Amino acid sequence: MTGIVVLGIETSCDETAAAVVALDGGQGLIRSNIVLSQLDEHAAYGGVVPEIAARAHVEALDQVIRSALEAAEVGFSDLNAIAVTAGPGLVGGLLVGVMTARAIAAARNLPLYAINHLEGHALTAALTNRSEFPYLLLLVSGGHTQLVMVGGLADYQRLGSTIDDALGEAFDKTAKMLGLPYPGGPAVEAAATEGDPNRFKLPKPLVGKPGCDFSFSGLKTAVRRAAEGIAPLTDRDIADLCASFQKTITEILDDRVGNAVQMVSKSPPLALVAAGGVAANRAVRDRLQAVSAEAGIPFVAPPPALCTDNAAMIAWAGALRLQAGHDSNDDFVPRARWPLDESAAPKLGHGRKGARV
Ligand code: KG4
Ligand code: ZN
């Protein structure tokens, strides 16, 4: 294999992941991408339990790394660097990944890159869709909701982020309230297909206001009140609540992303890129497509498996850093909170899956 070959490791939340990515002549190639989900271990609790996550990473990581090397048909001696997620996320899990990466790097005398998980999401479209910089990124997952102008490697300007719940978290909490299974996003989307999106009028926090921050906690409370008002709920009620919730979300995204496009109109992005688990939602994608069309830029959504947490994005960020001559940083201490744009003012609140900013 020619070019730069990097092993990536990701353990910041409830996925144990390892991947091998090659970078040759500016082009990235995913040689392997192994993601072991801990969904079953956490499902009974309706969310991620940090201690269970850390223990599961310890048990699975060695084998996941072995599988990633085997699938890529490489050995440790073919690698040029190791890249590992060092934050933001659940510290127990991060420590498992960082200690393992550090051990491999020391034993094999390889440079180690401590990668910000959000940088992985931010750079994915350049790997999967060869998107050119700058682009406007909407990252909507269970732990994060932010709009970021991605100018290139290590060039991130956060335009807005949530001041309370992450969007995926709002889907998950809504699902839980309505008795739907975890993770809530796909369950709410499925229920919504049968529902009337206009039956319930729900609030759209911050919509119409300047800027592009997000707020979802008032919306979640409104769904609960509406549900309590008509309890006991029939299947039709649940479908109507899900459809109304989802429609409201798309309207909020429309307003916020529209404002972000205006905010960067002096040096407009070349595309709108979506990432994170919520970007798998059809209604969300359709609405973002419409917003992009209005702004006159293409809409790019990487394949769902690379929108959600994975190690290929971490390996890719490491490969770009190695190629750009960045120093390795193997003395890095894992961080629960680690803003992508260090210059942006921190937002308050802890996410279910760690920090949101
Ligand atoms: O990116 P991800 O896999 O993990 C992190 O949170 O980092 O995102 C998971 C989140 C969950 O909150 C899940 O409910 C949401 O993404 N999600 C969806 C859909 N699929 C996953 N939300 C709405 N519609 C979906 N189809
Ligand atoms: Zn993520």
Side-chain angles (χ1 to χ4, degrees):
M1 202 183 304
T2 56
I4 292 170
V5 182
V6 177
L7 169 69
I9 296 172
E10 155 65 46
T11 56
S12 68
C13 191
D14 58 346
E15 264 98 22
T16 313
V20 175
V21 168
L23 170 57
D24 199 358
Q27 270 178 30
L29 180 67
I30 300 173
R31 295 296 309 254
S32 66
N33 184 29
I34 309 288
V35 181
L36 185 71
S37 173
Q38 303 174 0
L39 216 56
D40 294 347
E41 268 127 307
H42 300 284
Y45 304 94
V48 178
V49 184
E51 291 75 13
I52 293 177
R55 182 176 291 258
H57 288 307
V58 171
E59 283 166 9
L61 185 57
D62 287 358
Q63 184 53 45
V64 168
I65 291 173
R66 215 171 290 134
S67 303
L69 293 173
E70 272 170 27
E73 297 179 349
V74 296
F76 286 122
S77 55
D78 298 306
L79 300 176
N80 298 101
I82 312 283
V84 61
T85 303
L90 301 170
V91 169
L94 291 169
L95 271 169
V96 176
V98 168
M99 297 312 285
T100 304
R102 201 170 274 161
I104 298 171
R108 298 287 165 166
N109 200 20
L110 289 167
L112 175 64
Y113 288 91
I115 303 293
N116 184 318
H117 178 87
L118 301 173
E119 175 168 72
H121 281 302
L123 297 174
T124 296
L127 169 66
T128 56
N129 298 63
R130 300 208 191 133
S131 292
E132 287 184 22
F133 304 116
Y135 51 73
L136 178 63
L137 173 78
L138 173 68
L139 172 58
V140 275
S141 69
H144 309 285
T145 299
Q146 40 187 274
L147 276 156
V148 180
M149 191 69 171
V150 182
L153 177 67
D155 178 1
Y156 314 111
Q157 184 198 355
R158 195 185 73 206
L159 304 171
S161 65
T162 183
I163 57 170
D164 43 55
D165 291 344
L167 182 52
E169 198 178 359
F171 270 94
D172 294 337
K173 286 179 176 171
T174 296
K176 202 171 177 181
M177 268 183 305
L178 300 178
L180 298 172
Y182 174 85
V188 169
E189 181 172 20
T193 55
E194 307 291 327
D196 172 5
N198 300 314
R199 176 163 162 206
F200 297 96
K201 194 140 184 50
L202 300 168
K204 292 178 243 173
L206 297 181
V207 165
K209 301 246 164 63
C212 59
D213 282 337
F214 300 85
S215 168
F216 297 109
S217 73
L219 173 57
K220 177 191 67 194
T221 308
V223 173
R224 197 186 62 233
R225 292 228 176 90
E228 283 166 0
I230 54 166
L233 299 177
T234 63
D235 285 352
R236 166 126 312 273
D237 294 332
I238 292 172
D240 291 348
L241 280 163
C242 287
S244 302
F245 168 81
Q246 195 171 268
K247 177 175 169 243
T248 307
I249 292 293
T250 62
E251 289 169 356
I252 294 172
L253 290 176
D254 189 313
D255 177 85
R256 304 284 84 191
V257 176
N259 275 11
V261 170
Q262 292 301 322
M263 284 161 74
V264 292
S265 59
K266 283 214 175 88
S267 48
L270 300 177
L272 171 65
V273 173
V278 184
N281 184 290
R282 188 76 257 164
V284 167
R285 285 169 100 104
D286 288 350
R287 194 65 179 236
L288 293 175
Q289 179 89 56
V291 177
S292 301
E294 210 168 293
I297 52 176
F299 173 59
V300 176
L306 292 156
C307 275
T308 55
D309 288 352
N310 66 86
M313 67 181 190
I314 304 303
W316 170 239
L320 290 175
R321 283 185 174 266
L322 177 63
Q323 186 187 48
H326 288 233
D327 287 338
S328 60
N329 47 354
D330 51 10
D331 54 352
F332 195 93
V333 178
R335 292 172 65 173
R337 286 178 165 255
W338 184 4
L340 186 54
D341 177 357
E342 305 256 12
S343 68
K347 293 276 187 309
L348 297 173
H350 282 275
R352 151 172 83 70
K353 296 184 165 187
R356 291 192 188 100
V357 294

